[in-house]
């Protein structure tokens, strides 16, 4: 029996709607600038005819279940919300064609990619990695997984409110790269595995929150995510 110097981390998992089993988490992938209007507001328009999607990852330890209260993170004065539809992978896939992309989908969720925007932008403009801006403790918020095996969602309202005021409102049919295209492209670089989550991108309207703010967001036909921003530690 293997002995460890200290207790290894617990398995990260999310509940599954209608099931007793948990969905164990493998990796967290995020698609950057995947709505035209958001790309423009970030000062980096996207030309799909000459570009491929780009991605960043976060540690699965950043995952937090919807409904939580999380501390306002250190070393930032500009903590942003980003509302996203999340794809849950349920089967292995490598170099998956767009036509077969549905075969690796287990379900969907609603999520938030919380971001230290000030730190991210400094890193971006200096050509440095985004880790300190994006890979933030308790910054990958996700609802329960909603089983939809083999389903491609190509149209669904997506919205976010802060303290009841709508800040983001769009539709996933405005994704620059849709779900099939994302899975096909990402699987050129990685062997997708059951338990992988893909955050598909955020619409325009991202903005800052402060301690005490309550965030709610919805992906039509999937789920509603919520988060309360607590005091800084």
């Amino acid at each position: 029996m293997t002995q460890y110097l200290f207790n290894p981390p617990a398995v990260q998992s999310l509940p599954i709607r209608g099931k007793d089993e948990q969905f164990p988490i493998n990796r967290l992938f995020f698609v950057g600038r995947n709505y035209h209007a958001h790309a423009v507001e970030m000062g980096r328009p996207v030309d799909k005819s000459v570009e491929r999607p780009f991605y960043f990852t976060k540690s699965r330890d950043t995952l937090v279940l919807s409904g939580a209260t999380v501390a306002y993170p250190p070393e930032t004065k500009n903590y942003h919300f980003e509302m996203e539809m999340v794809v849950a992978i349920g089967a292995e896939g490598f170099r998956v064609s767009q036509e077969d992309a549905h075969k690796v989908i287990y379900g969907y969720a609603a999520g938030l990619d919380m971001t230290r925007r000030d730190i991210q932008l400094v890193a971006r403009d200096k050509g440095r990695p985004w880790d300190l801006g994006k890979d933030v403790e308790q910054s990958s918020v996700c609802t329960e997984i909603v089983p939809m095996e083999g389903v491609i969602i190509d149209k669904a309202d997506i919205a976010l409110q802060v303290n009841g005021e709508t800040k983001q409102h769009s539709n996933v049919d405005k994704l620059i790269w849709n779900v099939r295209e994302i899975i096909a492209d990402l699987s050129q670089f990685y062997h997708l595995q059951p338990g992988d989550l893909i955050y598909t991108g955020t619409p325009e309207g991202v903005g800052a929150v402060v301690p005490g703010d309550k965030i709610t967001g919805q992906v039509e036909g999937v789920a509603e995510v919520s988060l309360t921003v607590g005091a800084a530690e």
Side-chain angles (χ1 to χ4, degrees), residues 4-5 12-13 16 36 52 61 63 66 68 79 87 100 106-107 113 118 121 134 162 164 195 199 208 210 213 230 233:
Y4 298 99
L5 181 63
Q12 293 288 96
S13 65
I16 302 171
H36 281 296
R52 290 176 71 172
D61 293 336
L63 191 68
S66 172
Y79 195 45
V87 180
D100 289 338
Y106 177 78
D113 169 23
D118 42 2
L121 294 182
K134 285 290 191 178
V162 178
Y199 284 63
V210 297
D213 282 345
E233 294 179 330

Side-chain angles (χ1 to χ4, degrees), residues 6-167:
F6 48 85
N7 291 331
V11 174
Q12 293 288 96
S13 65
L14 290 169
I16 302 171
R17 183 178 296 174
K19 295 184 178 292
D20 294 330
E21 297 94 341
Q22 292 280 114
F23 187 87
I25 303 303
N26 188 34
R27 294 171 293 188
L28 306 181
F29 295 104
F30 294 75
V31 185
R33 296 198 300 267
N34 202 22
Y35 286 80
H36 281 296
H38 174 61
V40 170
E41 78 177 347
M42 295 303 294
R44 295 291 193 276
V46 173
D47 183 353
K48 185 179 181 180
S49 68
V50 296
E51 297 181 50
R52 290 176 71 172
F54 79 91
Y55 312 94
F56 57 92
T57 62
K58 293 190 184 187
S59 166
R60 60 188 169 193
D61 293 336
T62 66
L63 191 68
V64 62
L65 182 61
S66 172
T69 297
V70 303
Y72 191 90
E75 300 300 318
T76 183
K77 295 181 180 178
N78 197 21
Y79 195 45
H80 274 211
F81 53 81
E82 296 188 10
M83 179 67 202
E84 313 214 4
M85 181 176 74
V86 182
V87 180
I89 300 299
E92 295 181 4
F94 181 56
R95 295 176 180 161
V96 180
S97 68
Q98 292 187 31
E99 293 73 22
D100 289 338
H102 64 282
K103 295 180 180 179
V104 303
I105 295 175
Y106 177 78
Y108 292 84
L112 299 171
D113 169 23
M114 303 299 293
T115 303
R116 285 190 276 227
R117 186 72 72 203
D118 42 2
I119 294 177
Q120 181 208 7
L121 294 182
V122 168
R124 184 194 72 179
D125 294 343
K126 290 181 178 293
R128 297 173 178 171
W130 290 6
D131 298 57
L132 290 178
K134 285 290 191 178
D135 194 24
V136 181
E137 292 172 342
Q138 296 187 305
S139 67
S140 304
V141 187
C142 197
T143 64
E144 63 184 359
I145 304 298
V146 182
M148 296 185 188
E149 292 188 60
V151 173
I152 296 290
I153 294 180
D154 55 16
K155 187 172 185 178
D157 197 72
I158 184 170
L160 178 143
Q161 305 82 34
V162 178
N163 302 324
E165 180 181 354
T166 297
K167 300 292 186 179

